[in-house]
Amino acid sequence: MPIRSIATFTLTLAVTTAAFAIQPGNWTHTTEADFEPGDTEGVVVTNLGDIKLATGSTVVGTMPEGVNIIYDMRGTANGDIYLAAGPEGRLLRRRADKIEQVADLSQEQIFALDQAADGSLILAISGETSRLAILDGDKIRTLVELPGIRYIWDTLVDGNDVYLATGIEGKLLHVNLTEVFAAATKPAEPPKPVPVDEAPKADPVAKKDDTKKEDAPKTDKPKEEEKPKALPAGVRVLYDSAQANILCLGRDRQGRIYAGTDTDGLVYRVTMQPGGIAEPFVLFDAPEPEIGALLVLADGTVYAGTADADQARPGRLEAAAAKEEGRPAKETPKIDTPELPIPPRPKPPEPPKNGDKPDGKATTPGAANVAPADTATANGSATVASAEPVPPTPEQYDQLREEIQSRLQKARQTGELQTNPSLTPSPSRRAGVTTPSRPTGRAGAAAKQGNAVYRIDTGGFVAEVFRETAMILRILDDGDRLLVATGNEGQLFRVDVAGEETTIVADLEPAQVPALMKGADGRVLVGTANPATLVRLDESFATTGTYTSTVMDASQISLWGKLLITAGIPAGTSVGVQTRSGNVQDPDRAAWSKWSVPRNLMPEDAVTPLTPREITITSPPARFLQYRFVITGNGKDTAVVDRVSLAYVVPNIRPSVNAVRTNYPGAARPAPRAGTGAADAAPAEQVVLNIDWEASDANGDAMRYTLEYQMAGTKKWLPLAEDLDATTYAWQTKRVPDGRYIIRVTASDAPDNPETMARTASRQSDPVLIDNTPPAIAERQTRVENGVVTMSATVTDNLSAIKAVYYAVDTANQWKPVLPDDLIFDSTKETITVKIAGLSAGSHVITLRASDALGNTQYVAEVVEIK
């Protein structure tokens, strides 16, 4: 037999014949924290601890050189997709899987694209003077310039009305396209001629002003504020907020406009009153200083995403969920707030066939002449045909009051109600753009870590549905779930609000995901930044994916039990299961066993998703183990692995006694000093010896302990205590002769193992002295000369050093110390001399007290006569 085969056979024989522990170990993986350390390829791990196939994605098209950011996207009826790119303004077009440049706007930027009702592409162009433009063929034609407006962050188109979110003065603008085009086509008035005598004459010799600025007189008069520049015809300020920038817009089917700001993180709701008067109302004051994305549903439900750049840090906000907390019932949030009736919008008159309006003015190319059906804005906001609001009836007000009262009562019971902490300004969400912010006078308050998506229901109540250490750059309605695009780690999340499940759909190489849209085919397109890419999310799941677990350590060579897998496996899907084992931590550093032949779990009518399926592990006994799942799907469905459990049993390793210690409770206390009250009392005798020890068992078995002692000079171990479960013992040493002893502690794992398989381990203490005999005071001599008493003696102890000697005259309470003749107590025999003067005439009793190191004390007394 080859040497390698012999070694393998010997190892296998040793493992199979070893005494294995009764209590098996167990690995159970069921939470996000359990699965997250594993490697994923084409699969995702959700916050509920599920492993399933990821959504497929494909990079489509190559960006022109110099393009690093995709700010916004808009599809047209012919299938073209236009991209607002940067950092400097570029308009790109994707046609037939090819991306080409349409326009290059030097010193300008395009942050938002939209469409008029007739399908014309509207461009919001930011620059020194921002402007609204349309794409006419392949040329950009300005509709209207906006003096005093530096940035246009978002647009919202409704028929002939365009709403603009602007900065850096936080204005919500309304543009009436009909009026704008009418003004654009109106002939300009010729300039009035200037009379010759009134024309200014040129000074042939300009008079030089030698006055220096520093010589000008100083004044405390403030400079006059620059007057705001007048907006052109057809453009008006709908609302001038106190914030620096209005960043995002949305609209519900009641025609109300929603706006998110920076500086204070506010969500405004703007309601149009009769006469075109805008009535703003702060719907939500976020704990974060910037609202970076809005998604407004038709019923008025708002999802607001925050984008505090200071909270965009690497890594996840919290550790992966490590506890099973159940799953919510799958129910779509019910909107039960009564809605106000909205009258139908009157149908606009059809334009004359000759292209001229009844008043003789030409119709507007690219303007919206027909109200569009319900559409979605580039920011995911639902838009509808506008309607003139109708004042609610008294009955409707009563219904609203009842609804609000009910919600307030519920809020008092649950303690959940919107709070309004104050915050500090932050930079704009647009990549590569920072803007100053205007002070609001609010006191600063610390915000939570990370950024969040908040759901604001139709009653105004707020719930947090998502939070991560990333900026929320875009929110898209994806059926009954949300797609949340973030920066600065390029992650795209899918949030199931009703199911409370969050999944990383894509972890892209680019740092930011500032643009999302659904194409005409229903597929989601993702626009990224740093670098700029265009990614298409497939409607279906990936067809295959792999999950490889982290390396699991059994601490010793172990026998493997069954692998129990709880999984939902729909028709057309499967889960392939493999394992491998080895005896080094890193499988890449040294050879492990090969991956086992896959065992495919298929759909079975008799097996429910809650029933574990048993897999026999064929990998050889070893210390380390890994499992791998190969999940396949049909594109429409995916198998979902919820729980993995594996039992293993290691050899019964003998326990270990790691330390044995002994001490007398009062041994560490210092001797009392002369003149202190403590010196009046004799030290306590040390008759109890405390024994404590440390022990462990690699199998985690319960242990019992046996104590024995051996007297120095003998080989016989005598029992002291047995069947102890504690690791301390107090030994009453009065029961044994004085001497030096060794104590032995033996640990046994018998409680968790059969008698024939139980193992033991022992450890001995250092020698310990037991001394319960006081020292002897001998060879005493006493003499009296001239009224002075001189007393000498020898103090000896068989085992312990002499620690202290005291004397007292005619009392048992006032003791005075005596030093040995050599001035130091350092041996078992000391000679002392005591001289006592000043005694009165008559008889006196002199008492000596001597103690050894263990507190054993001896007293002697003698009577002297003073004449």
Side-chain angles (χ1 to χ4, degrees):
M1 182 181 290
I3 295 177
R4 182 176 179 183
S5 300
I6 294 175
T8 304
F9 174 80
T10 304
L11 173 61
T12 305
L13 183 63
V15 170
T16 54
T17 58
F20 282 84
I22 292 297
Q23 298 297 328
N26 184 273
W27 293 306
T28 298
H29 293 174
T30 184
T31 67
E32 182 187 11
D34 296 331
F35 290 124
E36 190 182 45
D39 294 327
T40 59
E41 184 177 347
V43 300
V44 294
V45 177
T46 75
N47 65 318
L48 297 180
D50 291 338
I51 303 174
K52 56 186 178 182
L53 289 170
T55 301
S57 62
T58 307
V59 175
V60 291
T62 303
M63 294 294 154
E65 186 177 353
V67 173
N68 295 324
I69 304 168
I70 298 176
Y71 290 117
D72 201 4
M73 300 184 290
R74 179 66 57 169
T76 58
N78 65 355
D80 290 345
I81 296 173
Y82 288 89
L83 311 175
E88 289 196 349
R90 303 268 194 104
L91 180 64
L92 310 179
R93 178 175 57 217
R94 179 177 180 269
R95 178 179 289 173
D97 293 333
K98 183 181 179 181
I99 297 177
E100 58 185 358
Q101 180 171 294
V102 178
D104 184 356
L105 306 179
S106 178
Q107 305 300 318
E108 291 183 306
Q109 293 164 312
I110 308 172
F111 294 135
L113 299 174
D114 218 315
Q115 276 182 288
D118 66 352
S120 300
L121 186 70
I122 295 180
L123 299 86
I125 301 173
S126 298
E128 191 65 33
T129 297
S130 296
R131 56 194 174 112
L132 202 61
I134 62 169
L135 184 66
D136 188 359
D138 280 352
K139 293 185 178 179
I140 294 177
R141 184 157 62 88
T142 299
L143 294 179
V144 63
E145 291 188 346
L146 305 171
I149 301 300
R150 183 65 182 86
Y151 297 106
I152 305 175
W153 298 120
D154 199 7
T155 62
L156 193 155
V157 177
D158 176 39
N160 290 329
D161 299 314
V162 181
Y163 300 92
L164 306 179
T166 72
I168 54 177
E169 293 185 350
K171 294 177 180 179
L172 174 61
L173 301 185
H174 169 247
V175 179
N176 186 296
L177 292 180
T178 302
E179 295 180 18
V180 165
F181 275 102
T185 56
K186 185 178 179 180
E189 294 183 3
K192 294 181 179 180
V194 181
V196 178
D197 351 338
E198 297 179 9
K201 296 180 180 180
D203 188 352
V205 181
K207 194 171 184 180
K208 185 176 180 181
D209 185 4
D210 293 327
T211 305
K212 297 181 180 180
K213 291 184 179 179
E214 52 267 33
D215 297 333
K218 296 182 179 180
T219 175
D220 293 332
K221 182 179 179 180
K223 293 181 180 181
E224 293 184 5
E225 293 185 4
E226 185 179 349
K227 293 182 180 180
K229 297 180 181 179
L231 293 172
V235 182
R236 66 181 178 125
V237 177
L238 204 62
Y239 178 60
D240 187 358
S241 74
Q243 287 70 48
N245 293 276
I246 296 178
L247 297 174
C248 43
L249 298 173
R251 185 183 180 94
D252 64 18
R253 66 166 163 248
Q254 296 189 43
R256 296 176 297 189
I257 300 167
Y258 298 80
T261 78
D262 66 359
T263 309
D264 300 315
L266 302 181
V267 176
Y268 285 100
R269 183 179 64 205
V270 180
T271 305
M272 299 305 298
Q273 300 297 340
I277 299 174
E279 184 178 274
F281 175 74
V282 175
L283 184 65
F284 177 51
D285 182 358
E288 295 77 28
E290 183 170 315
I291 303 296
L294 278 182
L295 169 64
V296 181
L297 304 185
D299 66 357
T301 299
V302 178
Y303 290 95
T306 66
D308 182 3
D310 293 337
Q311 295 298 328
R313 301 187 179 104
R316 302 291 299 275
L317 176 65
E318 297 179 354
K323 294 182 180 179
E324 292 185 280
E325 297 180 347
R327 298 166 187 257
K330 284 278 188 176
E331 294 180 1
T332 303
K334 184 180 179 182
I335 307 300
D336 53 5
T337 303
E339 297 180 355
L340 304 181
I342 304 174
R345 176 174 179 160
K347 185 177 181 181
E350 295 183 1
K353 293 182 180 179
N354 61 4
D356 291 333
K357 291 188 176 181
D359 59 1
K361 296 179 181 179
T363 57
T364 304
N369 297 314
V370 180
D374 289 8
T375 57
T377 69
N379 205 24
S381 306
T383 62
V384 297
S386 62
E388 290 296 331
V390 176
T393 65
E395 291 78 10
Q396 290 167 338
Y397 271 125
D398 291 340
Q399 289 177 335
L400 288 171
R401 289 190 190 97
E402 291 176 3
E403 172 66 19
I404 293 172
Q405 183 178 4
S406 171
R407 289 178 180 268
L408 287 174
Q409 289 175 350
K410 187 180 295 185
R412 292 189 188 101
Q413 293 170 0
T414 61
E416 296 179 359
L417 191 61
Q418 178 184 344
T419 57
N420 300 303
S422 301
L423 302 154
T424 54
S426 73
S428 166
R429 71 182 174 101
R430 300 296 184 180
V433 179
T434 56
T435 59
S437 55
R438 295 183 293 178
T440 61
R442 305 173 69 206
K448 294 181 181 179
Q449 287 190 340
N451 286 288
V453 174
Y454 298 96
R455 181 180 184 271
I456 311 167
D457 69 12
T458 55
F461 286 80
V462 180
E464 183 179 301
V465 299
F466 173 85
R467 181 173 287 278
E468 267 301 340
T469 52
M471 294 190 296
I472 313 300
L473 303 181
R474 196 76 69 165
I475 307 172
L476 185 67
D477 187 0
D478 190 27
D480 57 349
R481 294 171 294 184
L482 305 177
L483 280 178
V484 180
T486 69
N488 288 331
E489 290 190 281
Q491 292 174 326
L492 183 64
F493 294 85
R494 179 173 280 121
V495 180
D496 183 346
V497 177
E500 298 180 10
E501 183 180 49
T502 299
T503 306
I504 297 178
V505 177
D507 197 347
L508 304 173
E509 178 185 350
Q512 292 93 17
V513 185
L516 284 178
M517 68 164 281
K518 276 194 177 181
D521 58 359
R523 295 186 179 183
V524 175
L525 287 174
V526 181
T528 70
N530 299 318
T533 60
L534 187 62
V535 178
R536 183 183 63 223
L537 297 184
D538 297 336
E539 291 181 327
S540 57
F541 292 104
T543 55
T544 185
T546 303
Y547 174 81
T548 305
S549 75
T550 185
V551 173
M552 297 173 289
D553 184 2
S555 75
Q556 296 289 337
I557 294 178
S558 304
L559 290 178
W560 313 121
K562 296 290 181 66
L563 190 65
L564 303 180
I565 301 171
T566 304
I569 307 177
T573 70
S574 66
V575 178
V577 184
Q578 296 174 281
T579 62
R580 66 176 178 177
S581 58
N583 288 308
V584 292
Q585 177 76 36
D586 185 357
D588 297 328
R589 188 168 64 87
W592 277 35
S593 68
K594 293 182 179 180
W595 284 106
S596 62
V597 176
R599 165 72 188 279
N600 287 325
L601 303 180
M602 308 296 292
E604 295 182 24
D605 295 337
V607 179
T608 70
L610 301 178
T611 303
R613 304 190 188 206
E614 293 187 358
I615 302 293
T616 298
I617 297 178
T618 58
S619 300
R623 174 177 173 176
F624 301 99
L625 184 77
Q626 270 186 307
Y627 62 82
R628 180 167 72 184
F629 297 143
V630 179
I631 302 178
T632 59
N634 55 16
K636 181 181 178 181
D637 298 307
T638 175
V640 179
V641 177
D642 175 60
R643 178 184 288 263
V644 179
S645 182
L646 167 64
Y648 62 94
V649 61
V650 301
N652 186 22
I653 303 168
R654 72 172 188 164
S656 174
V657 181
N658 305 313
V660 178
R661 294 178 289 265
T662 61
N663 69 85
Y664 288 101
R669 289 183 295 197
R673 292 174 301 161
T676 65
D680 296 334
E685 294 182 355
Q686 304 298 314
V687 297
V688 176
L689 179 66
N690 288 339
I691 307 169
D692 68 90
W693 58 95
E694 297 175 4
S696 59
D697 187 275
N699 303 108
D701 294 335
M703 290 180 287
R704 292 291 186 272
Y705 306 100
T706 299
L707 271 62
E708 301 166 287
Y709 67 93
Q710 183 186 82
M711 193 169 186
T714 69
K715 295 183 178 181
K716 179 69 174 177
W717 288 101
L718 302 175
L720 180 57
E722 59 183 8
D723 200 29
L724 300 176
D725 57 5
T727 56
T728 61
Y729 183 77
W731 186 12
Q732 299 290 337
T733 59
K734 282 279 191 180
R735 301 172 183 174
V736 295
D738 291 353
R740 297 187 181 276
Y741 290 82
I742 297 173
I743 297 159
R744 182 169 70 183
V745 178
T746 301
S748 170
D749 60 7
D752 280 346
N753 291 279
E755 185 177 354
T756 57
M757 297 173 62
R759 306 192 68 177
T760 62
S762 299
R763 192 179 190 91
Q764 298 176 182
S765 71
D766 292 328
V768 59
L769 174 65
I770 295 179
D771 180 6
N772 293 316
T773 302
I777 303 174
E779 301 178 5
R780 297 195 311 273
Q781 293 182 3
T782 303
R783 64 181 185 273
V784 180
E785 294 179 355
N786 301 323
V788 176
V789 178
T790 301
M791 180 180 292
S792 62
T794 301
V795 182
T796 59
D797 193 277
N798 291 331
L799 298 173
S800 303
I802 306 303
K803 187 174 184 179
V805 176
Y806 289 84
Y807 77 92
V809 179
D810 299 332
T811 181
N813 296 322
Q814 296 179 2
W815 295 89
K816 296 181 180 181
V818 178
L819 284 176
D821 292 347
D822 61 3
L823 302 179
I824 184 171
F825 289 111
D826 59 354
S827 71
T828 58
K829 183 177 181 180
E830 299 287 353
T831 300
I832 63 169
T833 301
V834 180
K835 290 187 177 183
I836 306 171
L839 297 179
S840 60
S843 298
H844 294 277
V845 177
I846 299 175
T847 306
L848 290 178
R849 186 184 80 193
S851 302
D852 64 17
L854 291 182
N856 301 303
T857 304
Q858 180 70 275
Y859 295 84
V860 296
E862 190 165 338
V863 179
V864 297
E865 289 287 337
I866 302 297
K867 296 181 180 179

